[in-house]
Amino acid sequence: MSHSEDNRRILKNTLALYFRQIITMAVSLYTSRIVLQTLGVADYGINNVVSGLVLMLSFLTSSLEGTTQRFLSVELGKNDFIKLRQIFTNSLSLHIIFILLTVILAETIGLWFLQTKLVIPPERAYAAFWVYQFSIISFSINVFFAPFNGAIRTHEKFDFYAKMSIFDSVFKLVTVYFLIVLSYDKLMALAFMWLCIGIMGKIIVYIYCHVNFKECRIKLSWSKECVRHLLGYNAYTVIGAISYIIRFQGLNIVLNLYYGPIMNAAQGIANTVYRAISSFSDNAAIATQPQIIMSYVKGDKQRLWSLITKSSQLSFYLLLIIALPFILEIDTALYIWLGNYPEYAPIFAQLFLLEALQRILGHPISFANTAVGKLGAVTINSIVCRLLILLCAVFVGIYKLSPIYIYIVGLVLQGVYFLTLIVIVLKMQLGFSIRKYCTDVIVPILKTSLITVSLPVVLHYFFSKSIVHSCLVGIFTLIWSTVIVFYVGLNKEEKQMLLNKLSTFIRKMVFFK
């Protein structure tokens, strides 16, 4: 298959994930609002805290899924079906062991914590118990099917991946309306119905994989060499995921100790804005991951370079288009969404989004590091930067400085991490030129960003005097950013490919063809 066809597939997958994110985010926000109104504040809180005891392990599911995808992509690039099948079946065996260990911990330590430590009204203890059990079952099913999701991403069937996400979101919204007419315990009914939706979705995923991918058959096998490679690689991804959780949860604790719960609320609001907006550009990067890995396996360094540089630019531009209106008009956005909000929420959100613009540039390079398989140096680099942010937070808290300094340091350390990532992966592991990376990626991004930002900043400071004016500036910024990125940030081939594919993609997504 030609590189031109590969590029068109990447664009199609990016648009599919982009469209999926718009739909799922809109439906999820509306669903959350209806669930809160239907359950009430108390039961809504119980549902979140109880299911959270199990779902906090979801980062392990992501790392396991990523490990499976990496090794499947490697063998797919080699066209080695026997090895491909072996990777899948051994990965499935490891997932079952992980499920058994998780269930044992959940039904002993987790259940003890639920019944003795969590603050739950006595009359809701029975409902909380069943919500917890349904969450364990749901988590176990998700872990079991993680290799199937990895296979879907490996074969770049992101259009199906997007449709299943939309299916899940829409059916959850439908079940919420059933709660209004149900006379049974609404909290237990919601947990059970969402479990059933999850099971239905996984059945569809299994049928799809069984029909389309020959390696995806439920059969357990155990090869010591294969398992050793899977576990050895996965150890670094798990350590990195744990350090990520420690950074954010640790920061929450530090803010609570030195500044109180109001600062936690400010960070929580900012983090919600950050996740909602950055997820759009993350999709563009994810769509290139399988081809980055396969290009490395095939030894096609020219293709690998093209994927890294073009993906970095596209991901950054997509995030810039969406993030810039919020960076400039964050006060109005928060007011429209929440009404009243904590004092530091706007500045935290702005700093989070600036950090996201730095972080997104590192995604394609991280995928290349995944292909190489030498994760040690990059993992240590990320752990050091995250721990330094925590140490800075403690220092700022002890001396009663403004908490803004914590996130400014975080922004600086994210830049340090990105620079070291370039040196470790591009220069040391792949032998690419750092100067050429700056010429092909950094310089075009800086040029496009300066042109994009200039006029909206002027309009913001001169015209954002009311909510109406602020909204108009935000809308203009969105349109202006799109136009500048299209005409300045993209080359002729990319412009033509985007115009050709956009109409085709929308038609296919609407009619699910």
Side-chain angles (χ1 to χ4, degrees):
M1 185 174 288
S2 68
H3 292 336
S4 177
E5 291 173 332
D6 288 338
N7 291 338
R8 285 195 291 268
R9 188 166 67 252
I10 289 174
L11 179 58
K12 184 190 78 169
N13 291 333
T14 300
L15 292 173
L17 292 171
Y18 209 73
F19 180 76
R20 160 241 188 187
Q21 187 60 36
I22 293 173
I23 298 297
T24 55
M25 186 178 71
V27 174
S28 296
L29 288 173
Y30 185 67
T31 300
S32 298
R33 177 180 175 181
I34 300 299
V35 169
L36 177 59
Q37 293 174 347
T38 305
L39 294 182
V41 176
D43 275 6
Y44 184 83
I46 291 172
N47 181 63
N48 280 315
V49 72
V50 172
S51 60
L53 287 177
V54 179
L55 295 180
M56 68 180 180
L57 295 173
S58 60
F59 73 94
L60 292 176
T61 308
S62 300
S63 65
L64 291 168
E65 181 179 318
T67 299
T68 303
Q69 180 187 346
R70 187 265 176 184
F71 282 95
L72 289 177
S73 297
V74 168
E75 302 309 327
L76 190 63
K78 296 178 180 177
N79 292 317
D80 189 342
F81 174 75
I82 295 176
K83 193 68 175 179
L84 192 71
R85 172 74 170 152
Q86 186 184 49
I87 291 293
F88 183 85
T89 55
N90 279 268
S91 178
L92 203 60
S93 300
L94 282 176
H95 280 67
I96 291 175
I97 293 174
F98 178 69
I99 290 170
L100 293 174
L101 293 174
T102 303
V103 169
I104 291 172
L105 290 173
E107 295 292 4
T108 53
I109 298 174
L111 190 58
W112 166 81
F113 188 82
L114 169 70
Q115 295 177 336
T116 62
K117 299 299 179 182
L118 287 184
V119 180
I120 297 174
E123 66 275 10
R124 303 304 293 149
Y126 181 75
F129 170 82
W130 282 107
V131 170
Y132 183 70
Q133 298 301 324
F134 293 146
S135 298
I136 293 173
I137 297 172
S138 178
F139 176 77
S140 300
I141 292 172
N142 287 335
V143 172
F144 180 81
F145 279 93
F148 292 88
N149 291 331
I152 291 171
R153 293 173 62 173
T154 297
H155 289 275
E156 302 181 74
K157 301 299 182 181
F158 289 99
D159 52 345
F160 175 78
Y161 189 80
K163 290 171 185 176
M164 289 308 302
S165 297
I166 295 172
F167 165 88
D168 183 75
S169 298
V170 171
F171 270 81
K172 282 185 176 180
L173 177 60
V174 171
T175 59
V176 167
Y177 283 101
F178 280 106
L179 291 180
I180 300 174
V181 298
L182 281 177
S183 57
Y184 194 69
D185 187 290
K186 296 184 186 298
L187 178 58
M188 294 172 59
L190 178 69
F192 178 73
M193 287 191 293
W194 281 12
L195 171 62
C196 291
I197 292 172
I199 293 174
M200 288 169 53
K202 297 308 179 187
I203 291 174
I204 296 173
V205 167
Y206 171 73
I207 294 173
Y208 181 85
C209 291
H210 185 85
V211 171
N212 292 280
F213 314 135
K214 293 182 179 179
E215 72 273 13
C216 293
R217 304 292 188 271
I218 297 181
K219 179 183 177 182
L220 305 182
S221 63
W222 190 269
S223 167
K224 289 184 179 179
E225 181 182 358
C226 183
V227 169
R228 180 172 58 84
H229 284 303
L230 288 169
L231 289 177
Y233 179 89
N234 196 58
Y236 284 111
T237 61
V238 170
I239 291 171
I242 291 174
S243 70
Y244 182 84
I245 297 297
I246 290 175
R247 181 250 167 135
F248 283 96
Q249 294 302 320
L251 197 56
N252 256 330
I253 294 172
V254 171
L255 287 174
N256 186 270
L257 290 174
Y258 292 104
Y259 299 97
I262 293 179
M263 206 62 70
N264 293 118
Q267 179 183 261
I269 292 169
N271 200 39
T272 300
V273 174
Y274 160 79
R275 288 199 308 269
I277 294 175
S278 64
S279 59
F280 286 94
S281 55
D282 287 346
N283 290 328
I286 290 171
T288 63
Q289 184 177 8
Q291 290 196 32
I292 286 176
I293 296 174
M294 284 188 277
S295 296
Y296 173 79
V297 172
K298 294 176 181 178
D300 190 347
K301 297 194 74 173
Q302 182 177 355
R303 174 63 174 166
L304 179 62
W305 176 259
S306 176
L307 286 170
I308 292 173
T309 54
K310 294 302 180 183
S311 177
S312 296
Q313 288 182 325
L314 178 61
S315 302
F316 182 89
Y317 291 149
L318 286 174
L319 183 56
L320 180 66
I321 289 171
I322 299 174
L324 185 58
F326 287 93
I327 292 174
L328 293 178
E329 306 298 340
I330 188 64
D331 291 282
T332 299
L334 291 180
Y335 178 79
I336 293 173
W337 177 34
L338 300 171
N340 297 321
Y341 51 83
E343 176 186 359
Y344 284 92
I347 185 64
F348 285 178
Q350 289 171 323
L351 291 171
F352 276 20
L353 291 176
L354 289 174
E355 183 178 333
L357 285 167
Q358 285 186 331
R359 185 180 63 86
I360 197 65
L361 286 173
H363 276 0
I365 303 175
S366 296
F367 297 153
N369 178 237
T370 297
V372 175
K374 298 178 181 179
L375 307 184
V378 173
T379 302
I380 292 172
N381 180 32
S382 66
I383 291 173
V384 169
C385 288
R386 288 164 182 167
L387 290 179
L388 285 175
I389 294 175
L390 272 182
L391 290 176
C392 168
V394 173
F395 177 85
V396 169
I398 290 175
Y399 288 94
K400 303 298 181 183
L401 303 175
S402 170
I404 295 174
Y405 289 115
I406 298 173
Y407 300 97
I408 292 176
V409 171
L411 189 62
V412 172
L413 288 174
Q414 178 63 40
V416 171
Y417 170 75
F418 173 65
L419 292 176
T420 54
L421 191 66
I422 292 175
V423 174
I424 293 171
V425 180
L426 293 186
K427 181 66 176 178
M428 298 173 63
Q429 294 184 354
L430 298 174
F432 290 137
S433 168
I434 296 178
R435 177 177 294 182
K436 183 170 173 56
Y437 179 82
C438 292
T439 302
D440 291 356
V441 178
I442 303 300
V443 172
I445 281 177
L446 287 177
K447 181 182 73 172
T448 304
S449 299
L450 287 174
I451 298 173
T452 302
V453 169
S454 57
L455 184 56
V457 168
V458 173
L459 293 177
H460 166 74
Y461 282 104
F462 279 95
F463 296 104
S464 294
K465 306 302 181 183
S466 67
I467 293 178
V468 174
H469 290 162
S470 183
C471 289
L472 291 175
V473 170
I475 293 170
F476 172 82
T477 302
L478 181 65
I479 298 171
W480 169 263
S481 302
T482 304
V483 171
I484 296 300
V485 165
F486 182 81
Y487 283 102
V488 179
L490 303 181
N491 59 36
K492 291 183 179 179
E493 181 185 352
E494 291 165 344
K495 292 174 186 175
Q496 190 60 48
M497 188 186 301
L498 181 61
L499 292 174
N500 291 340
K501 276 292 177 182
L502 190 58
S503 59
T504 303
F505 161 76
I506 293 174
R507 185 173 63 253
K508 286 183 177 181
M509 288 302 297
V510 169
F511 295 102
F512 282 82
K513 293 181 179 180

